[in-house]
Amino acid sequence: MYTLEDLAEAKAELCTWLGRFDRYTGNNPQKYQSNIRTAQRKVSVIESSLRAVGAIPLSAVELLEKELDAAFPNAQNKQIVEYNGRNFQRRYWPVEKSRSGKSVVKWGKFWAEISLDV
């Protein structure tokens, strides 16, 4: 189980790698990128874990998305659902792409409120 101190350390490590990349003056655009991605993943995992146990409070949007995920766990991309008299659409976007940029390594998802005006 993670603590808030673990999160602070992970964010500091991420800032360190980003700072090294910012100060880098060489000719390699991929320099430090694997370290940065690893640090970003670590921050993301720790934040998710702390939100799951309640150490970091969820915002109103995150609570609504959690309810929608529980009510519609198998919703596909662009699927429209009705929840509490409101319409929502499930959407996905690429969070992380491969080094070549041609394939998606990790997908993100969210619910967008929409109006169905005919």
Side-chain angles (χ1 to χ4, degrees):
M1 185 160 139
Y2 294 106
T3 64
L4 293 173
E5 291 79 26
D6 295 331
L7 179 61
E9 289 173 12
K11 285 183 176 182
E13 182 182 352
L14 176 59
C15 287
T16 300
W17 286 114
L18 290 171
R20 286 181 184 176
F21 180 72
D22 289 341
R23 290 187 302 277
Y24 178 66
T25 59
N27 194 23
N28 181 1
Q30 295 298 321
K31 186 77 171 180
Y32 303 123
Q33 292 306 305
S34 64
N35 301 87
I36 291 170
R37 277 194 296 278
T38 301
Q40 288 171 334
R41 282 189 203 117
K42 185 175 181 181
V43 168
S44 177
V45 165
I46 293 172
E47 282 181 343
S48 297
S49 175
L50 290 174
R51 281 193 177 94
V53 298
I56 298 176
L58 298 175
S59 68
V61 172
E62 291 169 330
L63 286 172
L64 177 61
E65 288 197 356
K66 188 175 180 179
E67 291 173 14
L68 286 164
D69 287 340
F72 307 99
N74 298 321
Q76 300 297 312
N77 188 39
K78 297 188 179 178
Q79 181 178 345
I80 298 172
V81 299
E82 185 176 344
Y83 184 73
N84 290 341
R86 297 161 51 193
N87 294 307
F88 296 92
Q89 184 179 47
R90 168 58 94 189
R91 296 194 185 155
Y92 291 87
W93 83 96
V95 172
E96 183 179 342
K97 292 188 174 185
S98 65
R99 284 185 57 172
S100 68
K102 294 181 181 179
S103 61
V104 177
V105 175
K106 183 177 178 185
W107 288 93
K109 59 185 177 180
F110 70 99
W111 289 96
E113 187 171 2
I114 60 170
S115 62
L116 295 178
D117 295 331
V118 180

